[in-house]
Amino acid sequence: MLFTLGFFVLYFTLFLLLLVLWWQRKEPVVPPLQHFPRISILIAARNEEKHILTCLQAIDRLQYPKEKVEVLVGNDRSTDQTQALVEEFAQHHPYVSCLPITYDLRGTKGKPNVLAQLSQKATTDLFFFTDADIEVPVLWIETLLKNLKAETGIVTGITTTKGTRLFDRLQSLDWLYALGLMQVVADRKLPVSSMGNNMLVTRHAYEAVGGYAGIPFSITEDVQLFRQVLAKGYKSANVYCPETLAVSAPAPDLKTLYQQRRRWMRGSFHLPWYMWVLLAIHTAFYPVWIPFFLKAPLAFGTTVYLLKVLCQSVFVHLCLRHAGRKTNWIDLVLLEGYVLFNSVVLLVLLFLPIKIKWKGRQY
């Protein structure tokens, strides 16, 4: 019982600290961009006929001089109309090119192979990475560039999902919640992680580690690149604001969601130790609370649970405020059950000898 009470004291003390830091947070004042350098946007696409035009149309809306932009789309042996759609779009948008990816560079496969080959074709010193099912905001390039300093190798924005179904909305809240936890740490000038669908990498930092072709293969290629770049002495920046908020197509069903999250969990193994401590304390709540609830007075156990839901709901509400979005309190309450259910399923799947399926390939 003493251990359980001690854990709850630690858990809520930590959560309240995070809430205070997140509540008091103000977006850093960054000087406006003085010049507009040429940049490259690199997109790996495999069977993305449903999303690729939406992605390219969002890029076309960017408030950045188009003569300073090159968009390289790598068609990773798609069997649908992805390449035809990109080529048709490129006819009216000369800054867009479609490059067929027909072979694997040594030591690479899948998305890292595509990005490795696109980076070889890029003609600028600034690489912006996004995915074929992502819609970037109009000030995306400018905002990430404003947060790029001389010692910085990687700048990361934030991403959430779109959609009107309850399942879509809960995915969106879950993304912003997880990124909010990381941002509180990143605001303390500590490196956390990056996301390959919303990321700026300088050519200097990219080439210093040998690029995707020169680092160990990983199905979470963005995390692997992040680790290698930091190991070379570069700094990172995470930018949590509406101007960097990209939106992704949501997972259409639970099966797809769990495939996605299992891949992400592989990448989480490489998070810094302090992120592991934060996530471990956060994840341990129910394994500690359930036995406590079964033995403690009903009112006491219920109060602890409701306090947890309240803290989480307020934190996610602040995440939405920092991201320039809104939701309703019903979704915030339902998020608790969504997170709990997914956590249990993913923990079971993590230890099963099942390969991860990603873009029609198994890893």
Side-chain angles (χ1 to χ4, degrees):
M1 181 63 72
L2 287 177
F3 169 80
T4 301
L5 294 176
F7 172 81
F8 287 147
V9 170
L10 173 63
Y11 180 88
F12 286 111
T13 299
L14 177 60
F15 218 140
L16 289 173
L17 175 61
L18 293 173
L19 276 172
V20 170
L21 293 174
W22 205 221
W23 186 281
Q24 295 178 340
R25 178 182 188 261
K26 295 182 179 180
E27 190 65 31
V29 178
V30 183
L33 208 61
Q34 297 298 318
H35 70 287
F36 297 84
R38 293 189 66 246
I39 63 98
S40 302
I41 300 177
L42 311 183
I43 306 170
R46 176 174 169 81
N47 294 332
E48 293 286 0
E49 64 179 9
K50 293 181 179 179
H51 307 296
I52 189 62
L53 287 182
T54 302
C55 171
L56 294 175
Q57 289 163 358
I59 289 173
D60 193 52
R61 292 192 294 269
L62 287 169
Q63 294 182 13
Y64 198 85
K66 293 301 185 295
E67 66 272 15
K68 299 292 186 71
V69 176
E70 68 173 4
V71 178
L72 304 179
V73 181
N75 175 34
D76 187 13
R77 288 159 274 198
S78 298
T79 56
D80 63 3
Q81 295 299 307
T82 297
Q83 181 159 333
L85 291 171
V86 176
E87 290 176 342
E88 182 180 359
F89 187 89
Q91 291 179 5
H92 306 284
H93 304 83
Y95 60 88
V96 177
S97 300
C98 186
L99 291 86
I101 305 298
T102 58
Y103 64 94
D104 292 342
L105 295 175
R106 184 177 180 181
T108 69
K109 54 185 174 180
K111 184 179 177 181
N113 171 61
V114 178
L115 296 178
Q117 295 191 43
L118 292 181
S119 65
Q120 293 175 350
K121 299 292 185 180
T123 62
T124 79
D125 294 328
L126 297 164
F127 300 160
F128 284 73
F129 295 92
T130 190
D131 287 348
D133 63 348
I134 292 288
E135 297 173 53
V136 295
V138 295
L139 295 176
W140 180 54
I141 295 177
E142 182 177 347
T143 306
L144 292 187
L145 282 176
K146 287 194 297 185
N147 287 271
L148 182 65
K149 300 179 181 179
E151 69 276 12
T152 307
I154 292 184
V155 183
T156 307
I158 55 174
T159 303
T160 193
T161 58
K162 59 183 179 179
T164 58
R165 298 180 304 165
L166 175 62
F167 184 49
D168 302 336
R169 301 197 306 271
L170 293 179
Q171 287 183 64
S172 176
L173 295 177
D174 193 22
W175 278 46
L176 291 174
Y177 179 29
L179 294 175
L181 289 172
M182 290 197 295
Q183 189 66 43
V184 174
V185 178
D187 285 345
R188 315 276 78 78
K189 307 301 181 183
L190 294 171
V192 284
S193 189
S194 189
M195 291 190 301
N197 60 27
N198 194 335
M199 180 173 71
L200 160 62
V201 183
T202 67
R203 177 185 286 274
H204 195 272
Y206 181 84
E207 293 183 345
V209 301
Y212 281 119
I215 62 178
F217 172 78
S218 172
I219 59 173
T220 50
E221 82 296 331
D222 45 2
V223 178
Q224 182 70 279
L225 182 65
F226 179 81
R227 295 175 61 223
Q228 299 292 331
V229 166
L230 262 62
K232 287 291 184 179
Y234 291 91
K235 302 295 184 181
S236 65
N238 291 70
V239 189
Y240 198 113
C241 67
E243 291 76 19
T244 67
L245 177 60
V247 293
S248 169
D253 50 51
L254 284 174
K255 180 180 178 181
T256 306
L257 177 71
Y258 293 145
Q259 290 172 348
Q260 178 192 71
R261 298 306 169 89
R262 286 186 69 223
R263 183 171 66 86
W264 291 357
M265 287 179 73
R266 290 279 188 90
S268 70
F269 293 155
H270 303 293
L271 289 173
W273 67 267
Y274 40 84
M275 289 303 304
W276 262 105
V277 171
L278 177 61
L279 293 176
I281 294 174
H282 182 75
T283 305
F285 178 85
Y286 281 105
V288 174
W289 177 81
I290 292 175
F292 170 77
F293 179 76
L294 295 175
K295 295 180 180 180
L298 179 62
F300 192 21
T302 302
T303 299
V304 173
Y305 170 77
L306 292 176
L307 182 59
K308 194 263 189 189
V309 174
L310 176 62
C311 289
Q312 176 176 290
S313 298
V314 174
F315 188 91
V316 177
H317 171 73
L318 294 174
C319 291
L320 292 163
R321 189 176 73 179
H322 290 311
R325 294 172 74 94
K326 296 180 180 179
T327 191
N328 58 71
W329 282 97
I330 295 177
D331 284 2
L332 288 175
V333 173
L334 292 176
L335 177 65
E336 179 63 28
Y338 171 89
V339 171
L340 172 60
F341 180 78
N342 286 339
S343 298
V344 172
V345 174
L346 286 170
L347 282 174
V348 173
L349 292 176
L350 181 63
F351 294 102
L352 292 179
I354 303 173
K355 290 187 176 181
I356 295 176
K357 189 175 181 180
W358 183 32
K359 298 295 182 181
R361 299 184 174 110
Q362 289 188 338
Y363 298 88

